[in-house]
Amino acid sequence: MSKVIVGMSGGVDSAVSAYLLKAAGHEVIGVTLRTWISSDGKESRCCEIDDARRVSWKIGIPYYVINCVSDFREYITEPFIDEYLNGRTPNPCVICNRRIKWDKMLETADVMGAEYIVTGHYASVVKKENGRYTVKMASQASKDQTYMLYRLSQEQLSRTIMPLGNLNKEEVRNIARTAELPVAAKADSQEICFVSDGNYADYIKDNSKTPIPGEGNFVDEDGKILGKHKGIIYYTVGQRKGLNLALGYPVFVKEIRAEENEIVIAGEKSIYKKEIFCKDLNYLGIPDLKTGEEITCNVKVRYHHPGQKATVHIEDSGNARIVFESPVRAAAPGQSAVFYDEDDCVIGGGIIL
């Protein structure tokens, strides 16, 4: 049996992960990464320390808190704000997993002499026949979290255990109830951890170090002014609600032009694309693709997207051109496109341009 570090968020998933590893005979150490504290002193939903400490005491494992607030601000919250100010829709969890959670937990594991880290993600770590590590989709598709994990490195995955990949949520809660864990009935977090009320615009206004763009024009695809928007930070590609435009037919955000402070409005058909481009590629299940190479796979363009068949071609720039068999809806710049093989394992992915 090995010594393992379990990332404890204070939720039921990480609690059950720690319990299962302890029950299997491993030497378990609980660790919470303190990433963010609000102006009124509230902890992030990813680091609710009191609950994590209670769970650790119940299971009977040592518990530590690691301060990552400054790193989280540098790598996650400040870039999050910058992306919105530039008209993009970021996914901070994707970056946080690699740059904060895995980096810091493995660093802690090395200090404490632990071989592996353990997380409560709904996914499984697998080693392919080619020797590459990747993540496989969870058995409960609605809870699958592989989309958020595609930027992890081979070294990180080789030292990771995810015990919940073959369990559904009710099974996890039943284990927690049987073990009398104090978070067995705790509700799941639905929002980004540092925007607990879901109001991204207010968070950006309260925390931006640069001026926030004000009102600008809604325009159609020909540049005709249709009305005034309240600021680009309030909108994302594909949005319909909250536009307050009475045009007599449904309209959607097609494009955000940050430099001109304009938002392009069009009918629903216009927000479907057959071709998109991605940068900052990371590969899991296969070695890095070289210029001119291509693969056919299933591609997800957002967390809850079921995925669609596409061809991924690597251009001279190193970016990927993705051509779908049928158009995809609202592939927003700043989000991720994640590639899957026929076994529901992640091949790789990149940031949508």
Side-chain angles (χ1 to χ4, degrees):
M1 296 295 105
S2 55
K3 181 188 286 189
V4 299
I5 301 291
V6 180
M8 307 287 287
S9 68
V12 65
D13 297 327
S14 59
V16 168
S17 297
Y19 171 79
L20 291 174
L21 269 292
K22 176 74 181 300
H26 295 276
E27 182 182 349
V28 178
I29 300 170
V31 168
T32 296
L33 305 179
R34 173 177 270 146
T35 56
W36 178 81
I37 304 173
S38 70
S39 57
D40 59 2
K42 292 181 180 178
E43 299 280 2
S44 157
R45 283 302 302 267
C46 286
C47 54
E48 293 180 324
I49 292 169
D50 288 344
D51 283 344
R53 183 180 289 113
R54 281 193 287 268
V55 168
S56 298
W57 179 86
K58 176 66 178 179
I59 296 172
I61 61 173
Y63 173 73
Y64 301 91
V65 178
I66 309 297
N67 183 23
C68 304
V69 172
S70 62
D71 286 334
F72 192 77
R73 181 170 53 249
E74 178 182 354
Y75 293 115
I76 308 303
T77 57
E78 290 182 352
F80 173 86
I81 292 170
D82 289 343
E83 285 287 275
Y84 263 102
L85 294 179
N86 284 286
R88 295 183 285 269
T89 307
N91 192 325
C93 299
V94 167
I95 307 303
C96 180
N97 281 331
R98 177 163 180 164
R99 295 302 301 266
I100 304 297
K101 291 180 180 177
W102 260 259
D103 273 1
K104 295 300 180 183
M105 286 180 62
L106 284 171
E107 183 181 298
T108 302
D110 289 341
V111 170
M112 295 186 174
E115 297 177 61
Y116 296 98
I117 63 170
V118 181
T119 75
H121 288 89
Y122 285 86
S124 298
V125 178
V126 298
K127 189 175 184 180
K128 305 288 281 185
E129 290 183 2
N130 62 4
R132 302 276 299 184
Y133 287 92
T134 186
V135 285
K136 181 179 176 66
M137 290 178 66
S139 58
Q140 185 180 5
S142 63
K143 289 294 181 182
D144 174 62
Q145 293 175 301
T146 52
Y147 178 88
M148 302 293 189
L149 303 170
Y150 82 91
R151 297 204 71 83
L152 297 179
S153 71
Q154 291 295 292
E155 168 65 17
Q156 289 171 330
L157 282 175
S158 72
R159 297 181 62 189
T160 300
I161 298 171
M162 297 179 188
L164 305 187
N166 294 319
L167 298 175
N168 62 45
K169 190 71 180 193
E170 189 54 35
E171 289 172 326
V172 169
R173 290 201 183 276
N174 284 338
I175 292 170
R177 284 190 285 266
T178 300
E180 298 181 342
L181 301 181
V183 293
K186 187 175 180 178
D188 291 341
S189 174
Q190 301 295 327
E191 301 293 344
I192 293 174
C193 67
F194 56 90
V195 189
S196 56
D197 62 359
N199 194 326
Y200 306 146
D202 281 352
Y203 176 84
I204 293 166
K205 288 190 295 183
D206 291 342
N207 292 276
S208 177
K209 296 179 180 178
T210 58
I212 304 296
E215 289 186 350
N217 291 326
F218 283 122
V219 299
D220 66 15
E221 294 172 279
D222 296 321
K224 179 184 176 182
I225 296 175
L226 303 176
K228 289 287 186 182
H229 67 71
K230 57 185 178 180
I232 61 173
I233 63 172
Y234 291 92
Y235 305 93
T236 188
V237 169
Q239 181 175 334
R240 176 184 177 184
K241 295 182 178 179
L243 303 182
N244 297 319
L245 285 172
L247 301 178
Y249 55 92
V251 291
F252 301 79
V253 174
K254 178 184 179 182
E255 181 185 355
I256 299 173
R257 297 173 178 168
E259 290 186 4
E260 294 85 6
N261 198 22
E262 290 181 343
I263 295 178
V264 180
I265 297 297
E268 185 172 15
K269 185 178 180 180
S270 72
I271 64 172
Y272 282 82
K273 290 185 176 181
K274 186 148 188 189
E275 180 179 274
I276 63 172
F277 295 85
C278 288
K279 65 175 182 176
D280 298 339
L281 300 173
N282 188 64
Y283 296 92
L284 295 187
I286 64 172
D288 293 10
L289 292 176
K290 297 179 176 60
T291 298
E293 292 185 326
E294 65 180 34
I295 55 170
T296 299
C297 55
N298 208 41
V299 179
K300 295 178 66 169
V301 298
R302 56 186 166 274
Y303 180 47
H304 291 297
H305 182 223
Q308 289 177 225
K309 191 173 182 180
T311 298
V312 178
H313 177 85
I314 306 305
E315 300 194 308
D316 292 342
S317 63
N319 294 338
R321 177 170 60 92
I322 304 172
V323 181
F324 293 91
E325 284 194 349
S326 56
V328 292
R329 185 183 190 280
Q335 290 284 292
S336 295
V338 181
F339 322 145
Y340 292 81
D341 65 20
E342 66 278 4
D343 297 320
D344 293 330
C345 292
V346 172
I347 295 171
I351 307 297
I352 299 172
L353 291 167

